[in-house]
């Protein structure tokens, strides 16, 4: 079977340089990797997609050509599942510019290992080119193709360590824009039309239409311009507002006095502001002038060794804002200021444009940024900033709340995906300020996502236990108050979760209340019923919960919870016989049923030295029923199962014994002793490395 490749896909495939491994992000049908493998242009490919449906289609197509050994499929949100050094080339095509920007931002940790990016945004071409330039990507080539009534842009880029700036300075000698414009008008008989504007607007022309497309007189670009009748204004409008930011380093302030920069570094930016205003007033009249030092801004930095992001302080920098009674062009203002244009911002249109610029000086409307004091803003010309803040404080706080709400709404989908894939637990949401912010505005959606994930885990857990992949474990810890039974239960849970990770599973735990113990249960694998009483639920529910070979829903006040529990730890001051007998309708049930479901009975007592002692017993089947009296009751009962004689063990030995029992019940390959040995060896290695470095 042969695939019918569109003109667009063929063009993209041809645009990709020969390489060893291609990562196709948003692969859909995997058509491009298949074509490149078959033609020998690449040796290997990783086809990534965020959705299972397209990925399944990709797998089908790969199988048709028997290319499973050459193309690996991977469920991935952008480049999140792509490892450092896995790919030489990254292809991102068939999606909007904003989504592509987000994907590129998310691939920062692997950026240095990618030789080439082939990018085909379906919208916002100008904004996408600006993004690449500002974020350290160098455009190496561009192409355009027309397919099925649409024009498609394809960019070839590479990541560079230093941002490319003032691109037009190096390009003016290579292309005569005015000549190109004239030729276009002549060729298409278009009188009195300016496609690009005056030569002073050449930088903007490159942003709109691409330096390489202009340089090569790209035929498809010509068609696009003619069809869309695209024009740019010959005259650039004068600006009345200008803002920007710049690091406080000498090399970024051309021809400024060292004294002004040093004073600003020392926390006194007024002299620097005065010098900036002096320069501006050679071409215009400044009515407002403000400056503030930002020394508490942070940015997220990827740490490969830790495989996570950390918050680092940004370099010391200033933010400045000017308003003019007499305007000037952007180019003129940038020229007299002597600051590179990428660090200067034009105002956006709208009645709140200047208000937003004022508020941004202190991040008054930006809840995700550090909030500076209005007293830190220095005023040279215009109304004192403190007075402005006093008048606008309430509206700025309202704006901050709206931005927070909007940000929470825009991030909810990513959080839901992370929840339903098991990456994020409820405690993560409550402890992380950014996630909690989303939760505040989307509580019902977040809780619904946890419920959905719980349902999925319940189904998977039931399937696993029915297929014999694990048996449920129950540990009963008896002891009086103050002897450490809760502490011991928590220690077991802590070590179990570590061992689970070592064996490729990620367990979560919950400690329940003594009454209504199942209300807080979500999708946790490990359930600690702390100081619970038997009458907290019915005997029938206790038997269902502790059944080693079955999973059932847990009875809660508001709604029954999905049964995902693989290990139960019960702490109680009562013996299991009393515990079960005092459950609702417990006197009607045979306690032997409950006893045989308990893997280990741990009894904690107070020794002669005052320290806690630990004994452990296990259920045994009796050839003949034994008669036992229910503790603290007159009732006697015949038992088919009873606990063995309790054996005293040391705390650490008992911990190992219990964890290993649960490990075997879950069929994990790595034992607890092996895990502890690995941890010890790693700690020793780190210590030795540290000693050698000092």
């Amino acid at each position: 079977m042969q695939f019918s490749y569109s003109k667009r896909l063929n063009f993209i495939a041809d645009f990709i340089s020969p390489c060893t491994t291609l990562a196709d992000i948003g692969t859909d049908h995997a058509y491009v990797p298949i074509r490149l493998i078959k033609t020998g242009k690449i040796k290997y490919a990783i086809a990534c997609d965020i959705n299972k449906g397209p990925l399944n289609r990709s797998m089908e197509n790969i199988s048709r050509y028997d290319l499973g050994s050459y193309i690996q499929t991977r469920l991935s949100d952008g480049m999140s599942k792509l490892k450092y050094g896995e790919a030489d080339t990254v292809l991102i095509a068939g999606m909007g510019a904003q989504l592509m920007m987000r994907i590129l931002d998310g691939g920062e940790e692997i950026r240095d290992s990618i030789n080439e990016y082939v990018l085909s945004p379906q919208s916002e071409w100008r904004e996408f080119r600006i993004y690449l330039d500002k974020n350290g990507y160098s455009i190496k080539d561009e192409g355009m193709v027309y397919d099925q009534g649409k024009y498609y842009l394809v960019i070839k880029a590479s990541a560079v360590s230093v941002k490319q700036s003032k691109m037009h300075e190096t390009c003016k000698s290579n292309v005569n824009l005015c000549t190109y414009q004239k030729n276009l008008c002549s060729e298409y008989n278009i009188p009195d039309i300016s496609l690009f504007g005056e030569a002073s607007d050449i930088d903007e022309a490159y942003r709109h239409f691409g330096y390489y497309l202009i340089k090569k007189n790209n035929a498809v670009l010509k068609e696009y311009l003619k069809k869309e009748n695209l024009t740019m204004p010959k005259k650039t409008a004068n600006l009345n507002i200008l803002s920007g930011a710049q690091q406080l380093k000498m090399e970024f302030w051309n021809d400024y006095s060292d004294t002004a920069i040093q004073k600003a570094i020392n926390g006194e930016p007024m002299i620097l502001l005065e010098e900036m205003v002096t320069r501006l007033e050679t071409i215009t009249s400044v009515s407002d002038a403000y400056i503030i030092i930002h020394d508490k801004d942070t940015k997220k930095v990827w740490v490969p060794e830790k495989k996570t992001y950390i918050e680092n302080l940004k370099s010391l920098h200033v933010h400045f804002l000017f308003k003019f009674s007499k305007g000037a062009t952007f180019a003129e203002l940038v020229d007299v200021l002597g600051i590179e244009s990428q660090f200067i911002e034009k105002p956006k249109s709208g009645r709140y444009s200047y208000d937003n610029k004022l508020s941004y000086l202190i991040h008054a409307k930006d809840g995700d940024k550090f909030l500076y004091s209005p007293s830190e803003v220095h005023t040279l010309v215009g109304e004192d900033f403190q007075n402005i803040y006093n008048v606008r404080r309430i509206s700025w706080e309202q704006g901050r709340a709206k931005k927070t709400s909007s940000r929470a709404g825009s991030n909810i989908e990513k959080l839901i995906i992370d929840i339903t894939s098991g990456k994020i637990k409820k405690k993560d949401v409550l402890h992380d300020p950014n996630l909690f912010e989303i939760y505040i505005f989307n509580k019902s959606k977040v809780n619904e996502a946890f419920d959905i994930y719980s349902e999925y885990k319940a189904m998977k857990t039931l399937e696993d236990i029915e297929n014999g992949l694990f048996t449920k474990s129950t540990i009963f810890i008896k002891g009086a108050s103050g002897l450490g039974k809760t502490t011991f239960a928590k220690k077991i849970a802590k070590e179990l979760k570590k061992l689970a990770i070592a064996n490729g599973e990620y367990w979560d735990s919950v400690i329940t209340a003594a009454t209504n113990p199942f209300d807080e249960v979500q999708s946790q694998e490990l359930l600690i019923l702390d100081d619970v009483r038997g009458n907290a639920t019915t005997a029938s529910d206790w038997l269902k919960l502790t059944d080693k070979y079955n999973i059932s829903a847990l009875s809660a006040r508001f709604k029954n919870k999905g049964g995902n529990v693989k290990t139960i730890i019960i702490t109680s001051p009562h013996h299991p016989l009393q515990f079960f007998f005092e459950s609702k309708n417990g006197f009607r049930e045979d306690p032997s049923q409950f006893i045989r479901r308990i893997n280990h009975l741990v009894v904690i007592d107070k020794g002669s030295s005052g320290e806690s002692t630990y004994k452990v017993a296990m259920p045994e089947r009796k050839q003949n029923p034994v008669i036992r009296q229910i503790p603290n009751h007159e009732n006697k009962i015949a038992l088919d199962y009873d606990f063995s004689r309790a054996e005293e063990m040391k705390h650490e030995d008992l911990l190992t014994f219990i964890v290993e029992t649960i490990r075997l019940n879950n069929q994990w390959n790595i034992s607890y002793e092996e895990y502890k040995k690995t941890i010890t060896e790693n700690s020793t290695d780190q210590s030795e490395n540290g000693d050698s470095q000092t």
Side-chain angles (χ1 to χ4, degrees):
M1 178 180 177
Q2 295 291 327
F3 297 129
S4 178
Y5 284 83
S6 67
K7 189 175 179 180
R8 178 181 71 92
L9 289 179
N10 279 324
F11 187 84
I12 291 173
D14 292 338
F15 214 72
I16 296 171
S17 305
C19 66
T20 301
T21 304
L22 169 76
D24 184 12
I25 310 302
T27 190
D28 198 10
H29 295 78
Y31 287 156
V32 173
I34 290 172
R35 184 182 185 278
L36 294 175
I37 291 286
K38 287 178 63 65
T39 58
K41 199 170 187 179
I42 65 174
K43 296 180 179 179
Y44 189 77
I46 304 170
C48 302
D49 208 287
I50 193 174
N51 296 311
K52 290 183 179 180
L55 212 60
N56 289 335
R57 292 193 294 271
S58 298
M59 294 169 65
E60 292 174 1
N61 293 333
I62 293 165
S63 298
R64 289 174 187 172
Y65 281 98
D66 194 26
L67 295 178
S69 301
Y70 302 94
I71 304 177
Q72 178 189 148
T73 58
R74 194 173 293 177
L75 190 66
S76 176
D77 182 3
M79 293 186 281
S80 63
K81 299 298 183 182
L82 201 63
K83 299 176 182 177
Y84 190 94
E86 274 194 308
D88 312 294
T89 300
V90 167
L91 168 64
I92 312 175
M95 57 191 78
Q98 293 297 324
L99 178 56
M100 290 180 63
M101 294 176 199
R102 184 180 70 79
I103 291 173
L104 289 172
D105 286 340
E108 184 178 350
E109 66 271 20
I110 64 167
R111 171 177 163 150
D112 292 342
S113 69
I114 307 300
N115 296 327
E116 180 178 286
Y117 292 85
V118 176
L119 310 164
S120 183
Q122 293 191 332
S123 61
E124 300 178 82
W125 295 345
R126 174 183 179 275
E127 288 74 15
F128 191 68
R129 289 189 180 98
I130 293 173
Y131 167 85
L132 293 177
D133 185 48
K134 286 189 174 183
N135 288 275
Y137 294 89
S138 176
I139 297 176
K140 300 301 183 183
D141 198 8
E142 291 186 279
M144 284 189 76
V145 63
Y146 181 75
D147 185 24
Q148 298 181 359
K150 293 183 179 179
Y151 291 91
Y152 297 95
L153 171 69
V154 185
I155 296 173
K156 185 180 294 185
S158 64
V160 292
S161 57
V162 181
K163 292 182 180 181
Q164 306 298 303
S165 62
K166 292 188 175 181
M167 182 173 64
H168 62 280
E169 295 292 337
T170 60
C171 296
K172 284 181 179 178
S173 61
N174 297 322
V175 59
N176 189 321
L177 194 62
C178 294
T179 301
Y180 178 56
Q181 173 190 318
K182 184 178 179 181
N183 292 339
L184 276 179
C185 293
S186 176
E187 182 176 349
Y188 292 113
N189 194 26
I190 306 175
D192 301 323
I193 185 172
S194 176
L195 295 172
F196 302 114
E198 297 176 350
S200 62
D201 293 324
I202 191 169
D203 200 35
E204 188 65 12
Y206 292 150
R207 294 189 186 107
H208 271 279
F209 309 117
Y211 161 67
Y212 289 98
L213 295 176
I214 295 172
K215 179 182 177 182
K216 294 186 289 187
N217 273 351
N218 186 274
V220 182
L221 174 63
K222 293 182 188 179
E223 295 174 7
Y224 173 72
L225 294 172
K226 179 187 177 185
K227 184 175 180 179
E228 301 297 326
N229 194 27
L230 293 176
T231 66
M232 293 183 62
K234 289 186 177 183
K235 294 184 179 180
T236 304
N238 286 339
L239 300 179
N240 293 316
I241 301 169
L242 196 73
S243 63
Q246 183 58 285
Q247 294 184 42
L248 286 173
K249 295 180 179 179
M250 296 291 183
E251 61 264 32
F252 296 126
W253 297 87
N254 298 325
D255 300 325
Y256 279 78
S257 68
D258 291 349
T259 302
I261 307 304
Q262 193 57 56
K263 282 280 190 179
I265 293 172
N266 295 336
E268 301 175 26
M270 184 62 85
I271 296 176
L272 177 60
L273 183 61
E274 290 173 352
E275 190 166 338
M276 296 176 77
V277 169
T278 299
R279 289 168 173 250
L280 289 167
E281 289 198 329
T282 60
I283 61 169
T284 185
S285 179
V286 179
S287 59
D288 294 1
Y290 305 99
I291 194 169
I292 181 174
I293 297 172
H294 279 201
D295 56 359
K296 298 178 183 65
D297 294 354
T298 61
K299 60 180 178 180
K300 288 186 176 182
V301 178
W302 178 259
V303 183
E305 298 81 14
K306 298 182 179 180
K307 296 183 179 179
T308 187
Y309 286 96
I310 62 171
E311 293 282 346
N312 276 3
L313 274 176
K314 289 185 178 179
S315 300
L316 187 69
H317 60 282
V318 291
H319 282 257
F320 45 83
L321 174 62
F322 304 105
K323 193 173 184 180
F324 312 113
S325 54
K326 176 187 174 185
T329 67
F330 180 78
E332 291 170 340
L333 294 168
V334 168
D335 185 58
V336 296
L337 276 176
I339 299 174
E340 294 188 7
S341 60
Q342 64 262 41
F343 304 113
I344 308 294
E345 291 186 9
K346 297 178 182 179
K348 295 182 179 178
S349 59
R351 58 184 294 195
Y352 298 109
S353 175
Y354 190 57
D355 182 81
N356 290 335
K357 294 292 184 184
L358 284 167
S359 70
Y360 193 76
L361 289 171
I362 61 172
H363 297 152
K365 295 183 182 180
D366 298 85
D368 58 335
K369 300 181 184 294
F370 182 83
L371 181 62
Y372 291 88
S373 168
S375 62
E376 296 179 74
V377 179
H378 296 259
T379 306
L380 180 64
V381 186
E383 186 177 0
D384 186 78
F385 188 85
Q386 184 67 58
N387 294 337
I388 295 173
Y389 175 78
N390 293 339
V391 172
R392 308 191 187 197
R393 178 180 62 83
I394 295 176
S395 66
W396 285 359
E397 289 176 352
Q398 291 173 342
R400 189 180 184 91
K402 287 181 181 179
K403 276 196 174 183
T404 301
S405 174
S406 177
R407 185 170 60 253
S410 64
N411 293 331
I412 181 63
E413 292 184 359
K414 174 71 165 55
L415 178 57
I416 288 174
I417 291 172
D418 287 345
I419 291 171
T420 53
S421 62
K423 295 180 181 179
I424 298 291
K425 311 296 184 186
K426 186 66 172 285
K427 62 183 179 184
D428 299 325
V429 173
L430 299 177
H431 291 165
D432 188 307
N434 295 323
L435 298 181
F436 187 68
E437 182 180 273
I438 302 173
Y439 183 55
I440 292 172
F441 294 97
N442 303 276
K443 183 178 180 180
S444 59
K445 289 184 178 180
V446 171
N447 286 334
E448 185 179 357
F450 281 117
D451 287 341
I452 292 171
Y453 182 60
S454 182
E455 290 176 12
Y456 165 77
K457 284 190 69 176
M459 177 199 69
K460 186 68 169 60
T461 304
L462 180 60
E463 290 177 351
D464 288 350
I465 203 169
E466 289 178 345
N467 292 327
L469 300 182
F470 79 95
T471 56
K472 200 184 299 177
S473 306
T474 300
I475 309 298
F476 196 106
I477 304 175
K478 174 188 176 297
S481 179
L483 293 180
K485 59 182 184 290
T486 301
T487 301
F488 189 55
K490 290 180 179 179
K491 181 66 175 176
I492 295 171
K494 182 179 179 181
E495 296 305 300
L496 271 175
K497 288 193 283 188
K498 292 178 182 177
L499 186 58
I501 293 173
N503 284 277
E505 294 188 21
Y506 297 88
W507 278 25
D508 195 14
S509 63
V510 61
I511 302 176
T512 68
T515 57
N516 305 309
F518 305 122
D519 287 355
E520 298 301 316
V521 177
Q522 291 284 345
S523 57
Q524 297 88 354
E525 290 81 3
L526 208 162
L527 179 61
I528 300 178
L529 299 165
D530 189 34
D531 236 358
V532 72
R533 299 299 191 267
N535 61 9
T537 189
T538 66
S540 176
D541 277 343
W542 284 122
L543 293 174
K544 290 178 182 178
L545 175 65
T546 55
D547 191 340
K548 296 181 180 181
Y549 306 103
N550 192 29
I551 298 292
S552 60
L554 306 175
S555 298
R557 285 182 299 168
F558 306 111
K559 64 177 179 178
N560 290 346
K561 305 296 183 71
N564 309 304
V565 180
K566 295 184 177 182
T567 293
I568 304 146
I569 303 176
I570 301 172
T571 71
S572 174
H574 300 151
H575 189 278
L577 282 177
Q578 181 181 349
F579 181 94
F580 187 70
F581 184 79
E582 292 178 351
S583 64
K584 298 171 184 177
N585 297 323
F587 63 91
R588 298 178 180 176
E589 299 284 351
D590 179 9
S592 297
Q593 304 175 83
F594 188 58
I595 291 173
R596 67 182 176 87
R597 285 165 161 78
I598 298 172
N599 292 88
H600 299 306
L601 168 63
V602 177
V603 180
I604 305 178
D605 285 320
K606 192 172 191 178
S608 57
S609 63
E611 296 182 352
S612 296
T613 63
Y614 299 84
K615 294 181 180 179
V616 62
M618 289 163 285
E620 289 182 341
R621 185 177 180 89
K622 302 298 181 180
Q623 291 184 347
N624 298 307
V626 295
I627 306 300
R628 296 284 186 229
Q629 183 172 343
I630 304 295
N632 298 316
H633 289 271
E634 296 180 354
N635 305 66
K636 293 184 179 180
I637 194 161
L639 299 174
D640 294 323
Y641 277 84
D642 196 12
F643 289 108
S644 65
R645 182 174 179 176
E647 296 183 12
E648 188 168 345
M649 296 182 72
K650 294 180 179 178
H651 177 277
E652 287 301 319
D653 292 339
L654 179 58
L655 176 65
T656 299
F657 180 61
I658 292 173
V659 172
E660 186 64 11
T661 296
I662 298 170
R663 192 274 298 184
L664 292 170
N665 287 345
N666 286 276
Q667 302 180 26
W668 292 340
N669 293 324
I670 300 174
S671 70
Y672 187 46
E673 290 292 345
E674 290 172 332
Y675 163 74
K676 289 194 293 184
K677 183 179 178 182
T678 303
I679 296 299
T680 303
E681 290 174 349
N682 290 340
S683 299
T684 302
D685 292 341
Q686 291 175 6
S687 177
E688 291 175 352
N689 292 334
D691 291 340
S692 67
Q693 293 171 359
T694 56

